Amino acid sequence: MASSSSSTLDLTRVPPHIQPHIRQLQAYISPSPEYSIASFPSKYASYPKPRFAAVLILLYHDKADDSLHVTLTTRSMSLRSHPGQVALPGGKSDPDDKTPVFTALREANEEIGLPMPHQSIHILTTLPAQISLYKIIVTPVVAYLSDPETVLPLLKANPEEVDEIFDWRLDAFLHPGLVEGCRHEIKDIPWVSNTQWREHIFQRPPHMTASSESPKVLAPIKGLTADILILAAQIAYAPSTTAYERWAPRQPHTTDVAIEWTMEEAKRVDGFGTTLKQDLGLPTALVTPREDHVGSASRQSAVLMDSTPSSGVVSMEGIASPA
């Protein structure tokens, strides 16, 4: 079985302008409890352990644009859940997994061939657990890859799970315009306990291939994956602010509201056969498009209702997201 151990990061191997962002991630302590296989609140001991998962935020310095990048995947079209969608490497915890770190590294090894263990992979922190649409409690694990020139060429998509491996600038989740051709959209939807949730959609620019006559439309980065990466960027680049309205007007800034509501609801109905949207009785048509101007660029966004703008200032707390 592969080890989840992490070597100590020598910051002298990190470019000087990247070091402050790595230090901020290393210093981050999640304000929420760690929901994991080994430890979670005893009052929720009946929540099924197989419904825990972890994802890996693998960061590295990209010399092409001299910034931090994160490794992402496009899920295989043959998968039953979220086929063709963009995701972080990761998946459900196995019964023998002791920590979210182990789960994240094991799943990344299975999905994209990330070597495990490897002296160039350094665990920085874990982020507050998130709740997925399918009532899976997901812990994001942040790691830094200190030798991308050696490790990245080793990555290979597992065709049963992954169609594509690609990367994205981490700070572009705060300022989408840093990636040429990226469009940022939002949707506000009703959420648990009379709250709201704002979905952020980062539309990747179309890609021209040698075999196509027109640019290929790529899957956007959205939902739970986008929420996790916005939070990681907020921590790494604090006190930088987002170039857009981060929160819906009635959106909690912590994960606990949605996670605890889901746990209680699952116990009440004694089952997990439905999604959170079905539990909430949400209609299929929730949003009305409008033009939202962010800085000098015009973005297409979608909103449920007129609202007072929410703050884009960095929050060091977690986020609750359904997708």
Side-chain angles (χ1 to χ4, degrees), residues 206-264:
H207 176 65
M208 179 65 78
T209 63
S211 59
S212 62
E213 296 182 357
S214 59
K216 177 183 178 182
V217 177
L218 302 176
I221 306 167
K222 64 177 184 176
L224 180 62
T225 298
D227 276 357
I228 289 171
L229 291 171
I230 290 170
L231 178 58
Q234 287 180 306
I235 296 167
Y237 291 95
S240 179
T241 60
T242 57
Y244 48 84
E245 305 294 350
R246 171 64 186 90
W247 306 101
R250 300 195 310 274
Q251 181 172 356
H253 292 195
T254 67
T255 58
D256 295 339
V257 172
I259 288 178
E260 294 187 10
W261 184 92
T262 304
M263 288 179 165
E264 293 292 346

Side-chain angles (χ1 to χ4, degrees), residues 85-292:
Q85 292 189 11
V86 171
L88 290 157
K92 286 186 179 180
S93 298
D94 283 348
D96 293 335
D97 292 354
K98 299 301 182 183
T99 66
V101 171
F102 187 94
T103 299
L105 292 174
R106 176 184 56 75
E107 285 286 334
N109 174 263
E110 294 174 4
E111 291 182 359
I112 62 174
L114 182 70
M116 175 185 175
H118 197 280
Q119 62 183 4
S120 297
I121 300 173
H122 314 276
I123 303 301
L124 303 180
T125 190
T126 59
L127 303 185
Q130 315 296 313
I131 188 74
S132 81
L133 176 65
Y134 292 96
K135 304 175 185 176
I136 306 296
I137 295 178
V138 182
T139 299
V141 176
V142 186
Y144 181 74
L145 180 60
S146 58
D147 187 9
E149 290 81 5
T150 298
V151 176
L152 292 181
L154 302 177
L155 302 185
K156 183 179 181 181
N158 178 346
E160 294 183 358
E161 301 187 53
V162 173
D163 281 345
E164 175 193 20
I165 303 172
F166 68 99
D167 60 273
W168 200 260
R169 281 186 66 150
L170 183 64
D171 55 358
F173 290 103
L174 303 181
H175 302 278
L178 290 173
V179 174
E180 184 177 0
C182 174
R183 290 185 296 107
H184 174 246
E185 305 170 3
I186 62 172
K187 295 179 183 178
D188 287 357
I189 65 173
W191 197 224
V192 302
S193 300
N194 196 35
T195 64
Q196 292 175 299
W197 173 67
R198 173 163 291 174
E199 180 179 21
H200 293 271
I201 304 167
F202 297 86
Q203 183 60 61
R204 300 154 65 195
H207 176 65
M208 179 65 78
T209 63
S211 59
S212 62
E213 296 182 357
S214 59
K216 177 183 178 182
V217 177
L218 302 176
I221 306 167
K222 64 177 184 176
L224 180 62
T225 298
D227 276 357
I228 289 171
L229 291 171
I230 290 170
L231 178 58
Q234 287 180 306
I235 296 167
Y237 291 95
S240 179
T241 60
T242 57
Y244 48 84
E245 305 294 350
R246 171 64 186 90
W247 306 101
R250 300 195 310 274
Q251 181 172 356
H253 292 195
T254 67
T255 58
D256 295 339
V257 172
I259 288 178
E260 294 187 10
W261 184 92
T262 304
M263 288 179 165
E264 293 292 346
E265 185 68 9
K267 288 194 297 183
R268 185 182 69 81
V269 301
D270 192 28
F272 293 87
T274 59
T275 67
L276 287 177
K277 286 184 178 179
Q278 290 171 324
D279 287 350
L280 293 167
L282 297 181
T284 55
L286 289 170
V287 295
T288 303
R290 77 172 187 190
E291 282 293 316
D292 183 29

